[in-house]
Amino acid sequence: MNLNIVLYQPEIPYNTGNIGRTCVLTNSRLHLIKPLGFLIDDKHLKRAGMDYWKLVDVVYYDSFEHFLEVNKGARVYLSTTKASKFYTEVEYKQGDFIMFGRESSGVPDSVRDVFKDTLIRIPMVETTERSLNLSNTVSIVAYEALRQMGFPNMK
């Protein structure tokens, strides 16, 4: 396993599906912190284009506290717009966790406080238009982490 991609209460099934595909193709595990903004069943997965979902190595958590309990001591980077360190200024290692917040509001301050020393951000131009969506953001950070590691276990 290369990376651990964590989605904090994801809301849009298409984003989660695209991120799941990224996880499959990069030999990374997907971690989903509930509540989810959608159902994961055959009907909803197929409608969202996630019919390959059976290939995703996915772990579910009932809450943020449950995630912390299970992954005690793990190195977790939180991607947020409220960080001074760029995602390229981190030295990633295999097995690292990279967490992303919900599409509509990111993560609450209480979650951000837990990872205050490992906050990372992607620089973007300021715009009134929609910025990068969640699946794009995950792909950008995952690519940088895998590039630094020499694309392990990948052709």
Side-chain angles (χ1 to χ4, degrees), residues 76-146:
V76 180
Y77 293 100
L78 175 59
S79 179
T80 175
T81 57
K82 297 177 174 146
S84 58
K85 186 182 288 188
F86 293 141
Y87 75 105
T88 54
E89 298 174 326
V90 170
E91 187 176 322
Y92 302 96
K93 294 184 169 85
Q94 277 188 290
D96 280 351
F97 287 72
I98 305 171
M99 180 183 281
F100 300 86
R102 64 175 84 93
E103 291 93 337
S104 65
S105 59
V107 296
D109 290 340
S110 59
V111 172
R112 203 172 6 269
D113 290 345
V114 170
F115 302 115
K116 64 181 177 270
D117 296 330
T118 56
L119 298 177
I120 57 173
R121 75 179 172 96
I122 296 175
M124 292 180 250
V125 296
E126 197 165 325
T127 177
T128 56
E129 300 300 317
R130 234 179 121 182
S131 62
L132 290 173
N133 72 27
L134 182 61
S135 57
N136 294 135
T137 304
V138 170
S139 295
I140 289 168
V141 178
Y143 176 84
E144 174 61 17
L146 294 167

